[in-house]
Amino acid sequence: MPNKREILLSVRDMEVAFGRGRNRHKAVDGVSFDVYRRETFGLVGESGSGKTTIGRGIIRIHPLTKGEITFKGERIDGRIGRGPDRMVTRRIQMIFQDPMASLNERAKVDYIVSEGLYNTRKGIAAADRRALVSKALLDVGLLPEFASRFPHEFSGGQRQRIGIARALIMEPEFIIADEPISALDVSIRAQVLGLMSDLKEKRGLTYLFISHDLSVMRFICDRIAVIHKGKLVELAETELLFRHPLHPYTRALLSAIPLPDPIAEKKKVLEVYSASHPDYGRYPPAFTEVEPDHFVLGSKRELDAYRARLEK
């Protein structure tokens, strides 16, 4: 994406650690990236790589141990005033991975979808609140009558739509979608992805899309950042990343994507990533732009090899 585009969210040197002393673990280690307005920015990696922790750090569920996050030019991490805190609550929303666990089974859909309004618009009339709930449900392809039902009466795909409606009713600008389709049947994943794409166009939304599945990311993301053990190892526009993957971890992830042709799948050679880098002690790796809008983590020797590969 051209650098002249407006930066909506900026993450700089983000670190999130858990535990203390010898048990201290860095789940996110020095991560930096920008998200442009009205784009879908993908964050991909294996389970335990730190991608969900980044999303939860942005929305202030996990406090940062280092670094800073700015939204629309205003810092939103750490201790902030009531005004910025309310702005984050309204303008940044999250769609959670498990539609079964993220909805209150004892509450009706009406309350689940409008719960955020009780905290941010306390003086809203009941009739106005119900009207907003009906509109949010219609926007995600559900009938307004569903507001009187309980979550257990819905399928997994419908539950995820309820989760999306809960985010939309706050009129957000930025939505963090944490593995929003991984718990859904394959037959309805495309429906939910299509819904998210339509809502992005209609409402001018910006997404941080978190997933472990690069084939899904290719369908919906404008740019993709690859994360491994808390560090970003590669970042590029989606098609550029698929066309010229440089970091061996990225190539390993791409090689694991199943092929629709069973013969080609049988002949495919998987790349296995080795995390050992003996020269990192003397030559610490840096996250470097090796071509326009294409960043890779590597030592000087590795970066020279990546540039040589691009020149071929």
Side-chain angles (χ1 to χ4, degrees):
M1 296 293 167
N3 292 332
K4 65 182 180 181
R5 290 188 60 184
E6 178 187 354
I7 295 174
L8 183 66
L9 180 95
S10 182
V11 175
R12 288 291 174 270
D13 300 318
M14 179 182 188
E15 180 184 296
V16 179
F18 300 104
R20 293 182 179 180
R22 297 176 65 179
N23 295 322
R24 190 171 187 267
H25 169 68
K26 286 184 184 179
V28 180
D29 187 4
V31 166
S32 298
F33 60 86
D34 295 323
V35 180
Y36 299 115
R37 184 179 291 277
R38 301 194 68 171
E39 81 164 337
T40 300
F41 183 88
L43 196 58
V44 66
E46 297 172 287
S47 297
S49 61
K51 55 188 187 298
T52 293
T53 305
I54 291 174
R56 289 173 176 256
I58 292 171
I59 208 168
R60 298 170 58 78
I61 294 175
H62 295 321
L64 272 61
T65 48
K66 285 183 182 178
E68 66 176 49
I69 303 169
T70 57
F71 180 70
K72 299 173 69 173
E74 187 169 357
R75 189 164 179 175
I76 62 171
D77 64 281
R79 293 185 178 181
I80 58 177
R82 180 176 295 181
D85 186 61
R86 287 173 64 87
M87 184 267 289
V88 172
T89 302
R90 291 198 61 181
R91 298 305 179 194
I92 304 178
Q93 288 291 304
M94 192 164 189
I95 301 169
F96 295 93
Q97 176 177 357
D98 188 352
M100 308 297 178
S102 62
L103 303 182
N104 184 351
E105 292 289 345
R106 297 187 177 185
K108 291 184 178 181
V109 169
D110 176 76
Y111 177 79
I112 291 170
V113 173
S114 63
E115 185 174 7
L117 298 179
Y118 286 103
N119 297 322
T120 58
R121 299 174 62 178
K122 295 182 179 180
I124 189 172
D128 293 336
R129 182 187 58 78
R130 286 194 295 268
L132 289 172
V133 171
S134 295
K135 183 179 185 304
L137 290 175
L138 284 170
D139 285 345
V140 299
L142 297 176
L143 296 174
E145 301 92 88
F146 290 174
S148 61
R149 298 184 183 180
F150 289 92
H152 72 264
E153 300 179 60
F154 298 93
S155 67
Q158 288 174 322
R159 285 180 178 223
Q160 195 60 289
R161 288 172 185 263
I162 293 169
I164 295 172
R166 177 174 57 185
L168 290 178
I169 201 169
M170 301 297 291
E171 298 181 348
E173 296 179 57
F174 183 61
I175 292 180
I176 301 167
D178 182 16
E179 301 262 17
I181 64 168
S182 64
L184 304 179
D185 291 340
V186 174
S187 59
I188 58 175
R189 289 183 180 185
Q191 296 177 21
V192 174
L193 289 175
L195 170 64
M196 293 179 65
S197 296
D198 290 342
L199 291 170
K200 175 187 173 183
E201 296 303 318
K202 291 177 182 177
R203 293 188 173 226
L205 297 173
T206 303
Y207 290 125
L208 172 62
F209 194 92
I210 298 169
S211 179
H212 65 277
D213 191 340
L214 269 168
S215 59
V216 170
M217 306 287 266
R218 189 175 195 177
F219 176 78
I220 197 170
C221 294
D222 299 298
R223 292 186 300 146
I224 296 175
V226 182
I227 184 169
H228 176 67
K229 291 187 176 180
K231 289 182 176 289
L232 290 190
V233 298
E234 191 160 2
L235 190 162
E237 292 185 18
T238 300
E239 289 307 314
L240 179 62
L241 188 76
F242 275 78
R243 192 166 59 248
H244 295 136
L246 296 177
H247 197 276
Y249 180 68
T250 306
R251 298 200 301 272
L253 288 181
L254 288 171
S255 74
I257 297 176
L259 299 175
D261 181 353
I263 298 176
E265 175 69 19
K266 189 174 181 179
K267 294 179 179 178
K268 182 177 69 176
V269 178
L270 288 174
E271 293 196 31
V272 179
Y273 174 60
S274 172
S276 62
H277 298 274
D279 62 335
Y280 278 12
R282 295 181 58 192
Y283 307 103
F287 198 58
T288 305
E289 188 174 23
V290 293
E291 64 175 334
D293 298 319
H294 192 168
F295 297 82
V296 187
L297 179 71
S299 63
K300 183 180 182 305
R301 179 182 60 81
E302 289 173 330
L303 293 172
D304 289 342
Y306 296 152
R307 292 189 181 99
R309 176 181 291 220
L310 290 171
E311 291 173 357
K312 290 181 179 180

